[in-house]
């Protein structure tokens, strides 16, 4: 059974940093894609960042230069380093992987507030 578990969420002040980690279990090979989406209150879920098995990274415009995604194939984890966070980054962050189909985690709350 494939499971994705996010960790590292919490509250942070504007301008601060936070690191999210997603741990994947139940997959016998490296996922083709690992990434993050987020959903703010009253809004649709939106793409944040992804990284392919080859290491190619893609970001939504609003986080370019502030967020960095990385994957660790030996541990089957994917991280999202969030720097210079803004109040508009407040959302539930969901990890996802693509391995024959999409799999999703349950999400972790990130709140940016002074």
């Amino acid at each position: 059974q494939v499971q994705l578990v996010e960790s590292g969420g919490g509250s942070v002040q504007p301008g601060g940093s936070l690191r999210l980690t997603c741990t994947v279990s139940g997959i016998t090979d490296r996922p083709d894609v690992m990434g993050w989406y987020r959903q703010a209150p009253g809004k649709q879920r939106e793409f944040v960042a992804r990284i392919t098995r080859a290491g190619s990274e893609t970001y939504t415009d609003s986080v370019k230069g502030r967020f960095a995604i990385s994957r660790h194939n030996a541990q089957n984890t994917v991280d999202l380093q969030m720097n210079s966070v803004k109040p508009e980054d407040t959302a539930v962050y969901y990890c996802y992987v693509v391995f024959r189909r999409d799999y999703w985690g349950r999400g972790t709350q990130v709140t940016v507030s002074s």
Side-chain angles (χ1 to χ4, degrees):
Q1 182 179 357
V2 178
Q3 288 189 322
L4 283 67
V5 179
E6 300 98 337
S7 61
S11 296
V12 60
Q13 292 187 341
S17 297
L18 210 59
R19 188 176 186 89
L20 306 182
T21 296
C22 176
T23 302
V24 183
S25 60
I27 290 182
T28 56
D29 200 355
R30 289 180 294 166
D32 297 313
V33 178
M34 306 180 81
W36 296 88
Y37 273 67
R38 66 187 180 186
Q39 186 166 18
K43 294 188 177 181
Q44 290 189 329
R45 190 175 296 190
E46 66 169 354
F47 167 77
V48 177
R50 70 170 195 169
I51 183 167
T52 68
R53 185 157 50 175
S56 177
E57 301 171 23
T58 306
Y59 299 91
T60 191
D61 285 346
S62 63
V63 309
K64 284 180 181 176
R66 300 189 298 120
F67 291 10
I69 190 170
S70 59
R71 61 186 288 170
H72 311 282
N73 293 321
Q75 295 82 23
N76 233 4
T77 61
V78 58
D79 293 342
L80 184 69
Q81 178 66 41
M82 305 169 59
N83 299 324
S84 301
V85 296
K86 304 175 181 179
E88 51 263 43
D89 294 322
T90 295
V92 178
Y93 284 71
Y94 297 91
C95 171
Y96 80 102
V97 299
V98 178
F99 182 75
R100 299 175 186 159
R101 49 155 283 191
D102 293 353
Y103 294 92
W104 292 85
R106 294 187 175 185
T108 185
Q109 176 70 45
V110 172
T111 302
V112 183
S113 174
S114 55

